[in-house]
């Protein structure tokens, strides 16, 4: 599988990824939400700056940490221990202070010729797809969450 990750434009997430100051992405929720337990080592991440409609970078997943039913203290500890890779602002630390966390470390970041993203109404901020062309204008297919189901 490949993954399309929306990057927060206000927090300059894509810029941090491209300049090497961010080498890990976090997603969190009260329960196991996408991509928790559905992203694996050696899969490809594509990055898109929110609001641009352009997929403009890619990387390879190097490690994944999935956590459930975290206590307040453990959430703080996990985010703190990974801060050098996550490069989170105080606002982001608050946003991702969740009981279920998925931390995805990546390597081999490359800027790519921007691909035009075909946004569909039912899309979340992390998409799991077979190939990137499935969400690119001209080659996209109707998006469903079949690749997001637990295996």
């Amino acid at each position: 599988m490949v993954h399309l990750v929306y990057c927060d434009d206000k927090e300059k997430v894509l810029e941090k990824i491209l300049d090497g100051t961010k080498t890990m992405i976090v997603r969190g929720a009260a329960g196991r939400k996408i991509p928790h337990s559905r992203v694996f080592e050696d899969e490809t991440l594509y990055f898109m700056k929110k609001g641009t409609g352009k997929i403009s970078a890619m990387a390879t997943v190097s490690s994944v940490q999935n956590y459930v039913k975290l206590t307040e203290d453990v959430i703080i500890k996990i985010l703190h221990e990974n801060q050098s890779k996550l490069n989170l602002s105080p606002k982001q630390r608050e946003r991702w202070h969740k009981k279920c966390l998925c931390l995805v470390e990546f390597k081999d970041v490359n800027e790519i010729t921007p691909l035009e993203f075909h946004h569909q109404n039912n899309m979340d901020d992390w998409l799991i797809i077979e190939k990137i062309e499935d969400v690119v204008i001209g080659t996209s297919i109707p998006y469903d969450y079949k690749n997001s189901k637990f295996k």
Side-chain angles (χ1 to χ4, degrees):
M1 292 293 132
V2 301
H3 304 265
L4 177 60
V5 182
Y6 286 50
C7 297
D8 188 336
D9 53 327
K10 292 175 184 66
E11 294 285 350
K12 308 242 181 275
V13 170
L14 185 58
E15 291 84 346
K16 291 176 183 178
I17 290 169
L18 292 173
D19 73 16
T21 61
K22 182 175 190 66
T23 58
M24 181 181 276
I25 293 280
V26 61
R27 286 295 187 272
R32 291 192 318 163
K33 189 175 177 243
I34 296 168
H36 197 286
S37 304
R38 288 163 276 202
V39 57
F40 303 96
E41 201 172 310
D42 295 324
E43 289 186 327
T44 301
L45 302 176
Y46 285 90
F47 300 103
M48 179 179 121
K49 187 174 189 173
K50 192 174 176 191
T52 65
K54 306 253 190 253
I55 302 163
S56 57
M58 64 186 292
T60 303
V61 175
S62 57
S63 72
V64 182
Q65 301 170 49
N66 292 296
Y67 300 97
V68 293
K69 299 180 182 170
L70 297 171
T71 63
E72 295 296 310
D73 290 344
V74 175
I75 296 167
I76 292 165
K77 181 176 184 263
I78 290 168
L79 293 177
H80 177 74
E81 286 175 351
N82 291 284
Q83 175 62 10
S84 65
K85 300 173 195 173
L86 289 165
N87 193 1
L88 298 175
S89 69
K91 184 177 174 186
Q92 288 174 307
R93 279 195 296 278
E94 189 178 317
R95 176 180 181 195
W96 298 119
H97 190 93
K98 306 287 183 185
K99 291 190 183 305
C100 288
L101 291 175
C102 178
L103 285 75
V104 180
E105 190 170 6
F106 50 86
K107 62 184 180 185
D108 303 330
V109 175
N110 291 299
E111 277 193 82
I112 60 172
T113 303
L115 302 168
E116 294 284 337
F117 176 62
H118 179 202
H119 180 75
Q120 298 173 41
N121 287 338
N122 60 337
M123 292 178 162
D124 208 344
D125 72 344
W126 187 296
L127 305 179
I128 303 171
I129 50 183
E130 303 249 350
K131 58 190 185 303
I132 197 62
E133 292 79 13
D134 291 350
V135 294
V136 172
I137 290 176
T139 57
S140 68
I141 59 174
Y143 186 74
D144 61 28
Y145 281 87
K146 74 175 172 38
N147 292 324
S148 301
K149 292 182 175 36
F150 289 110
K151 305 265 187 276

mmCIF file of all heavy atoms in Angstrom, residues 11 26 28 72 75-76 79 83 88-99 101:
data_model
loop_
_atom_site.group_PDB
_atom_site.id
_atom_site.type_symbol
_atom_site.label_atom_id
_atom_site.label_comp_id
_atom_site.label_asym_id
_atom_site.label_seq_id
_atom_site.Cartn_x
_atom_site.Cartn_y
_atom_site.Cartn_z
ATOM 1 N N GLU A 11 1.265 24.959 10.285
ATOM 2 C CA GLU A 11 2.409 24.527 11.096
ATOM 3 C C GLU A 11 3.646 24.235 10.241
ATOM 4 O O GLU A 11 4.665 23.783 10.763
ATOM 5 C CB GLU A 11 2.039 23.291 11.919
ATOM 6 C CG GLU A 11 0.987 23.548 12.972
ATOM 7 C CD GLU A 11 1.499 24.311 14.183
ATOM 8 O OE1 GLU A 11 2.721 24.497 14.325
ATOM 9 O OE2 GLU A 11 0.664 24.723 15.000
ATOM 10 N N VAL A 26 2.808 11.934 13.320
ATOM 11 C CA VAL A 26 1.944 11.320 14.328
ATOM 12 C C VAL A 26 0.487 11.525 13.924
ATOM 13 O O VAL A 26 0.121 12.553 13.357
ATOM 14 C CB VAL A 26 2.202 11.910 15.746
ATOM 15 C CG1 VAL A 26 1.920 13.395 15.801
ATOM 16 C CG2 VAL A 26 1.386 11.171 16.811
ATOM 17 N N GLY A 28 -3.380 10.631 15.912
ATOM 18 C CA GLY A 28 -3.950 10.141 17.153
ATOM 19 C C GLY A 28 -5.440 10.377 17.226
ATOM 20 O O GLY A 28 -5.976 11.234 16.531
ATOM 21 N N GLU A 72 -2.488 9.588 30.581
ATOM 22 C CA GLU A 72 -2.006 10.962 30.379
ATOM 23 C C GLU A 72 -0.478 11.029 30.447
ATOM 24 O O GLU A 72 0.169 11.625 29.592
ATOM 25 C CB GLU A 72 -2.609 11.900 31.437
ATOM 26 C CG GLU A 72 -4.113 12.055 31.341
ATOM 27 C CD GLU A 72 -4.560 12.715 30.048
ATOM 28 O OE1 GLU A 72 -4.012 13.773 29.702
ATOM 29 O OE2 GLU A 72 -5.463 12.163 29.386
ATOM 30 N N ILE A 75 1.237 9.351 27.378
ATOM 31 C CA ILE A 75 1.102 10.186 26.166
ATOM 32 C C ILE A 75 2.195 11.250 26.167
ATOM 33 O O ILE A 75 2.921 11.412 25.174
ATOM 34 C CB ILE A 75 -0.286 10.855 26.097
ATOM 35 C CG1 ILE A 75 -1.401 9.816 25.954
ATOM 36 C CG2 ILE A 75 -0.335 11.866 24.936
ATOM 37 C CD1 ILE A 75 -2.799 10.361 26.192
ATOM 38 N N ILE A 76 2.324 11.944 27.278
ATOM 39 C CA ILE A 76 3.338 13.008 27.402
ATOM 40 C C ILE A 76 4.736 12.432 27.189
ATOM 41 O O ILE A 76 5.546 13.001 26.455
ATOM 42 C CB ILE A 76 3.209 13.711 28.776
ATOM 43 C CG1 ILE A 76 1.903 14.499 28.821
ATOM 44 C CG2 ILE A 76 4.408 14.620 29.040
ATOM 45 C CD1 ILE A 76 1.484 14.942 30.219
ATOM 46 N N LEU A 79 5.336 11.435 23.365
ATOM 47 C CA LEU A 79 5.535 12.620 22.523
ATOM 48 C C LEU A 79 6.876 13.298 22.847
ATOM 49 O O LEU A 79 7.587 13.729 21.935
ATOM 50 C CB LEU A 79 4.369 13.597 22.676
ATOM 51 C CG LEU A 79 3.018 13.100 22.138
ATOM 52 C CD1 LEU A 79 1.926 14.115 22.415
ATOM 53 C CD2 LEU A 79 3.086 12.758 20.664
ATOM 54 N N GLN A 83 10.117 13.816 20.307
ATOM 55 C CA GLN A 83 10.044 15.213 19.877
ATOM 56 C C GLN A 83 11.138 15.590 18.874
ATOM 57 O O GLN A 83 10.894 16.354 17.953
ATOM 58 C CB GLN A 83 10.059 16.151 21.087
ATOM 59 C CG GLN A 83 10.105 17.636 20.760
ATOM 60 C CD GLN A 83 8.904 18.155 19.974
ATOM 61 O OE1 GLN A 83 7.896 17.483 19.792
ATOM 62 N NE2 GLN A 83 9.014 19.368 19.476
ATOM 63 N N LEU A 88 7.220 18.911 16.974
ATOM 64 C CA LEU A 88 5.867 19.433 17.192
ATOM 65 C C LEU A 88 5.901 20.778 17.912
ATOM 66 O O LEU A 88 6.677 20.965 18.852
ATOM 67 C CB LEU A 88 5.040 18.460 18.041
ATOM 68 C CG LEU A 88 4.797 17.067 17.472
ATOM 69 C CD1 LEU A 88 4.078 16.208 18.502
ATOM 70 C CD2 LEU A 88 4.016 17.126 16.174
ATOM 71 N N SER A 89 5.014 21.655 17.496
ATOM 72 C CA SER A 89 4.813 22.912 18.213
ATOM 73 C C SER A 89 3.971 22.603 19.458
ATOM 74 O O SER A 89 3.345 21.540 19.539
ATOM 75 C CB SER A 89 4.072 23.907 17.322
ATOM 76 O OG SER A 89 2.726 23.461 17.122
ATOM 77 N N PRO A 90 3.913 23.532 20.424
ATOM 78 C CA PRO A 90 3.043 23.302 21.594
ATOM 79 C C PRO A 90 1.585 23.022 21.175
ATOM 80 O O PRO A 90 0.931 22.156 21.758
ATOM 81 C CB PRO A 90 3.165 24.600 22.379
ATOM 82 C CG PRO A 90 4.533 25.118 22.029
ATOM 83 C CD PRO A 90 4.727 24.743 20.574
ATOM 84 N N LYS A 91 1.108 23.727 20.168
ATOM 85 C CA LYS A 91 -0.270 23.533 19.682
ATOM 86 C C LYS A 91 -0.450 22.113 19.128
ATOM 87 O O LYS A 91 -1.466 21.461 19.368
ATOM 88 C CB LYS A 91 -0.571 24.578 18.607
ATOM 89 C CG LYS A 91 -1.982 24.554 18.087
ATOM 90 C CD LYS A 91 -2.190 25.676 17.077
ATOM 91 C CE LYS A 91 -3.552 25.576 16.434
ATOM 92 N NZ LYS A 91 -3.717 26.549 15.364
ATOM 93 N N GLN A 92 0.556 21.616 18.406
ATOM 94 C CA GLN A 92 0.477 20.259 17.861
ATOM 95 C C GLN A 92 0.561 19.206 18.977
ATOM 96 O O GLN A 92 -0.128 18.189 18.904
ATOM 97 C CB GLN A 92 1.600 20.021 16.855
ATOM 98 C CG GLN A 92 1.404 20.760 15.552
ATOM 99 C CD GLN A 92 2.619 20.611 14.659
ATOM 100 O OE1 GLN A 92 3.746 20.890 15.079
ATOM 101 N NE2 GLN A 92 2.400 20.170 13.439
ATOM 102 N N ARG A 93 1.400 19.455 19.986
ATOM 103 C CA ARG A 93 1.478 18.508 21.110
ATOM 104 C C ARG A 93 0.111 18.377 21.777
ATOM 105 O O ARG A 93 -0.298 17.291 22.169
ATOM 106 C CB ARG A 93 2.536 18.946 22.123
ATOM 107 C CG ARG A 93 3.941 18.559 21.708
ATOM 108 C CD ARG A 93 4.933 18.652 22.847
ATOM 109 N NE ARG A 93 5.120 19.998 23.357
ATOM 110 C CZ ARG A 93 5.918 20.907 22.802
ATOM 111 N NH1 ARG A 93 6.599 20.630 21.721
ATOM 112 N NH2 ARG A 93 6.026 22.104 23.339
ATOM 113 N N GLU A 94 -0.586 19.484 21.889
ATOM 114 C CA GLU A 94 -1.933 19.462 22.463
ATOM 115 C C GLU A 94 -2.893 18.706 21.544
ATOM 116 O O GLU A 94 -3.687 17.887 21.993
ATOM 117 C CB GLU A 94 -2.406 20.910 22.660
ATOM 118 C CG GLU A 94 -3.682 21.035 23.434
ATOM 119 C CD GLU A 94 -4.074 22.491 23.652
ATOM 120 O OE1 GLU A 94 -3.198 23.317 23.974
ATOM 121 O OE2 GLU A 94 -5.267 22.787 23.495
ATOM 122 N N ARG A 95 -2.805 18.971 20.238
ATOM 123 C CA ARG A 95 -3.694 18.319 19.270
ATOM 124 C C ARG A 95 -3.523 16.807 19.290
ATOM 125 O O ARG A 95 -4.485 16.055 19.167
ATOM 126 C CB ARG A 95 -3.416 18.843 17.864
ATOM 127 C CG ARG A 95 -4.252 18.128 16.824
ATOM 128 C CD ARG A 95 -4.019 18.606 15.425
ATOM 129 N NE ARG A 95 -4.899 17.860 14.532
ATOM 130 C CZ ARG A 95 -4.767 17.818 13.247
ATOM 131 N NH1 ARG A 95 -3.815 18.492 12.635
ATOM 132 N NH2 ARG A 95 -5.599 17.114 12.507
ATOM 133 N N TRP A 96 -2.282 16.331 19.365
ATOM 134 C CA TRP A 96 -2.015 14.901 19.283
ATOM 135 C C TRP A 96 -1.948 14.238 20.657
ATOM 136 O O TRP A 96 -1.494 13.105 20.775
ATOM 137 C CB TRP A 96 -0.744 14.644 18.477
ATOM 138 C CG TRP A 96 -0.872 15.123 17.067
ATOM 139 C CD1 TRP A 96 -0.102 16.071 16.460
ATOM 140 C CD2 TRP A 96 -1.836 14.715 16.095
ATOM 141 N NE1 TRP A 96 -0.535 16.270 15.167
ATOM 142 C CE2 TRP A 96 -1.599 15.460 14.911
ATOM 143 C CE3 TRP A 96 -2.895 13.800 16.102
ATOM 144 C CZ2 TRP A 96 -2.361 15.301 13.762
ATOM 145 C CZ3 TRP A 96 -3.667 13.651 14.956
ATOM 146 C CH2 TRP A 96 -3.393 14.395 13.805
ATOM 147 N N HIS A 97 -2.416 14.878 21.694
ATOM 148 C CA HIS A 97 -2.482 14.301 23.040
ATOM 149 C C HIS A 97 -3.724 13.398 23.084
ATOM 150 O O HIS A 97 -4.789 13.808 23.540
ATOM 151 C CB HIS A 97 -2.557 15.429 24.079
ATOM 152 C CG HIS A 97 -2.400 14.938 25.480
ATOM 153 N ND1 HIS A 97 -1.185 14.905 26.117
ATOM 154 C CD2 HIS A 97 -3.308 14.431 26.347
ATOM 155 C CE1 HIS A 97 -1.355 14.408 27.331
ATOM 156 N NE2 HIS A 97 -2.622 14.109 27.492
ATOM 157 N N LYS A 98 -3.570 12.175 22.560
ATOM 158 C CA LYS A 98 -4.705 11.250 22.404
ATOM 159 C C LYS A 98 -4.369 9.886 22.987
ATOM 160 O O LYS A 98 -3.208 9.495 23.061
ATOM 161 C CB LYS A 98 -5.048 11.077 20.918
ATOM 162 C CG LYS A 98 -5.302 12.368 20.165
ATOM 163 C CD LYS A 98 -6.611 12.989 20.530
ATOM 164 C CE LYS A 98 -6.858 14.239 19.690
ATOM 165 N NZ LYS A 98 -8.032 14.940 20.069
ATOM 166 N N LYS A 99 -5.402 9.131 23.339
ATOM 167 C CA LYS A 99 -5.225 7.817 23.963
ATOM 168 C C LYS A 99 -4.690 6.753 23.000
ATOM 169 O O LYS A 99 -4.091 5.775 23.412
ATOM 170 C CB LYS A 99 -6.539 7.335 24.574
ATOM 171 C CG LYS A 99 -6.940 8.163 25.788
ATOM 172 C CD LYS A 99 -8.101 7.531 26.509
ATOM 173 C CE LYS A 99 -8.591 8.351 27.667
ATOM 174 N NZ LYS A 99 -7.587 8.694 28.655
ATOM 175 N N LEU A 101 -2.234 6.392 19.658
ATOM 176 C CA LEU A 101 -1.280 7.104 18.815
ATOM 177 C C LEU A 101 -0.639 6.164 17.811
ATOM 178 O O LEU A 101 -0.399 4.989 18.109
ATOM 179 C CB LEU A 101 -0.169 7.738 19.663
ATOM 180 C CG LEU A 101 -0.540 8.896 20.565
ATOM 181 C CD1 LEU A 101 0.661 9.302 21.423
ATOM 182 C CD2 LEU A 101 -1.044 10.077 19.754
#
